[in-house]
């Protein structure tokens, strides 16, 4: 009886995390990818957006353009969401392991 309660709690948490993961992936699709490179010229700081492109074994940085404040906020939000996505995936993997152990005992 007690095992079933714990197993149900773990399953609910896993489902909640999977739902959050879907929301994150949907939000990430709407945000720009890449990174911001800051270059200092003549006392001013300029921000430029770059993206990666793989060509064979090499990875090249592709210049996209100047960055305004809005794009910079979106890039920073993307970084935070990617970190959260990584944590959620790790937690889901932990729950999967626990649930397999629980299922193996039955």
């Amino acid at each position: 009886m007690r095992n079933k309660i714990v197993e149900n709690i773990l399953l609910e948490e896993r489902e909640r995390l999977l739902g959050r993961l879907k929301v994150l992936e949907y939000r990430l699709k709407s945000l720009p990818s890449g990174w911001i490179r800051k270059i200092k010229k003549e006392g001013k700081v300029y921000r430029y957006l770059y993206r990666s492109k793989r060509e064979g074994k090499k990875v090249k940085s592709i210049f996209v353009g100047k960055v305004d404040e809005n794009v910079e906020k979106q890039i920073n939000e993307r970084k935070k969401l990617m970190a959260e996505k990584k944590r959620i995936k790790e937690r889901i993997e932990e729950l999967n392991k626990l649930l397999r152990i629980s299922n193996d005992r039955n």
Side-chain angles (χ1 to χ4, degrees), residues 42-86:
E42 299 173 10
K44 283 187 163 184
V45 177
Y46 297 93
R47 292 172 177 82
Y48 301 103
L49 180 63
Y50 284 82
R51 291 201 177 110
S52 298
K53 182 179 181 183
R54 180 170 292 280
E55 292 180 359
K57 292 183 178 181
K58 294 183 179 182
V59 177
K60 293 194 173 190
S61 297
I62 308 296
F63 172 77
V64 178
K66 279 191 170 185
V67 175
D68 63 5
E69 211 174 289
N70 187 35
V71 173
E72 188 170 6
K73 285 180 185 177
Q74 290 177 341
I75 294 289
N76 291 334
E77 181 182 358
R78 182 180 183 82
K79 282 182 187 178
K80 290 177 187 174
L81 293 178
M82 291 296 289
E84 183 180 353
K85 181 180 174 181
K86 182 180 178 182

Side-chain angles (χ1 to χ4, degrees), residues 4-14 95 99:
K4 265 303 194 203
I5 293 171
V6 172
E7 185 177 333
N8 286 338
I9 291 171
L10 293 175
L11 284 170
E12 286 177 13
E13 176 66 5
R14 183 177 174 275
L95 290 171
L99 287 167

